[in-house]
């Protein structure tokens, strides 16, 4: 089956620094990837849709200058949380689209101190 | 915008009892998907329902998609401790690269 990886799985950073999270489709090409955020005991909230070779589409209320998304190849999308603050601490999950299905990565747990 | 409501938010059962979670979309869906997330883990795909009135079974799990393609349910028969987790439905209006809208999830806990 299709496999999606994320790196890192966990990261702790200091307030004001930037963190980059990678999402890779390991055995298939994904023209579209999605980035979600999940706060404790809450559901997944879509942040943005990332299309290879074009600008990401952000959901309402998500700051595009704070959450930079790059989808430079058919197997890699990155999410950079810039000038992170404690309220950005969350579980960030990507998914990659292949045909009619979406496959989720294992998530990245970000803690901003 | 599109909304997917899921109830109940929490459900606690004795091992061996049945469990059901319900999803309702504000708009007609092209398909609905179900995911299970264990504590500390990530969502794991369970199934996708596409056809109006569709019913699918996976061992003790029964999934239904409503005739109007706006609601769905997941029923677990004779729960086991391994069923513990949060179950999410997610609705999609198109296929493939269309975004998923997740329900709030139902957190299932089981008394052994």
């Amino acid at each position: 089956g299709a496999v999606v990886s994320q790196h890192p799985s966990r990261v702790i950073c200091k307030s004001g620094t930037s963190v980059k999270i990678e999402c890779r489709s390991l055995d298939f090409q994904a023209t579209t990837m999605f980035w979600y955020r999940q706060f404790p005991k809450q559901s997944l909230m879509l942040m943005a849709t990332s299309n290879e070779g074009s600008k990401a589409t952000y959901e309402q209320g998500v700051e595009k200058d704070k959450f930079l998304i790059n989808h430079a190849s058919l197997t890699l999308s990155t999410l950079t949380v810039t000038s992170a603050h404690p309220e950005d601490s969350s579980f960030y999950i990507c998914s990659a689209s292949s045909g009619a299905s979406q496959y989720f990565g294992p998530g990245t747990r970000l803690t901003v101190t | 915008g599109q909304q997917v409501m899921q109830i109940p938010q929490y459900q606690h059962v004795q091992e061996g009892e049945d469990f059901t979670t319900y999803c309702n979309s504000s708009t007609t869906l092209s398909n609905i998907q179900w995911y299970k997330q264990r504590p500390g883990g990530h969502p794991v795909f369970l199934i996708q329902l596409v056809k109006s009135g569709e019913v699918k079974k996976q061992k003790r799990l029964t999934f239904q998609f409503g005739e109007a393609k706006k609601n769905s349910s997941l029923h677990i028969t004779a729960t086991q401790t391994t069923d513990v987790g949060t179950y999410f439905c997610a609705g999609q209006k198109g296929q493939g690269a269309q975004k998923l809208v997740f329900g709030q999830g139902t957190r299932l806990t089981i008394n052994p």
Side-chain angles (χ1 to χ4, degrees):
Chain A
V3 179
V4 176
S5 71
Q6 276 185 247
H7 179 79
S9 58
R10 291 178 181 270
V11 58
I12 301 173
C13 70
K14 292 187 176 181
S15 186
T17 62
S18 296
V19 174
K20 180 185 282 189
I21 302 170
E22 293 185 347
C23 177
R24 293 182 185 273
S25 54
L26 298 184
D27 50 2
F28 66 100
Q29 293 184 330
T31 54
T32 304
M33 291 185 175
F34 301 89
W35 287 96
Y36 296 84
R37 179 168 52 182
Q38 185 180 34
F39 291 108
K41 298 186 180 180
Q42 293 188 23
S43 187
L44 282 74
M45 297 300 295
L46 180 66
M47 299 175 67
T49 302
S50 167
N51 292 297
E52 186 265 336
S54 64
K55 290 183 179 180
T57 303
Y58 290 81
E59 295 298 301
Q60 192 173 8
V62 178
E63 299 175 58
K64 62 180 182 180
D65 294 329
K66 181 172 179 62
F67 298 99
L68 301 179
I69 292 172
N70 184 279
H71 194 158
S73 78
L74 289 172
T75 59
L76 173 65
S77 177
T78 60
L79 167 67
T80 301
V81 183
T82 62
S83 187
H85 291 285
E87 56 264 33
D88 298 323
S89 298
S90 187
F91 193 42
Y92 291 86
I93 308 171
C94 71
S95 73
S97 175
S98 175
S101 300
Q102 287 188 34
Y103 301 92
F104 282 81
T108 296
R109 196 165 299 279
L110 170 64
T111 304
V112 185
T113 61
Chain B
Q2 182 186 354
Q3 291 186 336
V4 176
M5 306 299 293
Q6 189 174 352
I7 58 169
Q9 189 175 2
Y10 301 98
Q11 185 78 59
H12 180 77
V13 301
Q14 289 288 129
E15 186 175 16
E17 291 182 338
D18 293 355
F19 159 77
T20 305
T21 173
Y22 301 90
C23 263
N24 190 53
S25 169
S26 58
T27 59
T28 301
L29 302 169
S30 63
N31 68 81
I32 195 159
Q33 302 175 24
W34 285 91
Y35 294 81
K36 177 183 179 181
Q37 186 175 24
R38 292 181 183 275
H42 64 281
V44 174
F45 175 80
L46 294 177
I47 207 160
Q48 177 175 271
L49 304 171
V50 179
K51 298 178 183 176
S52 170
E54 189 170 16
V55 178
K56 286 188 176 180
K57 291 190 176 185
Q58 289 180 350
K59 297 183 180 178
R60 295 177 295 103
L61 278 61
T62 302
F63 304 85
Q64 291 188 318
F65 200 12
E67 294 289 340
K69 300 184 72 173
K70 296 178 70 174
N71 54 66
S72 181
S73 65
L74 157 59
H75 179 83
I76 303 178
T77 304
T79 55
Q80 300 175 359
T81 54
T82 52
D83 295 326
V84 164
T86 301
Y87 293 85
F88 293 98
C89 61
Q92 195 173 44
K93 293 200 74 175
Q95 289 292 332
Q98 299 298 315
K99 63 182 182 181
L100 286 168
V101 177
F102 279 79
Q104 297 91 332
T106 297
R107 186 177 176 191
L108 174 63
T109 54
I110 298 174
N111 210 20

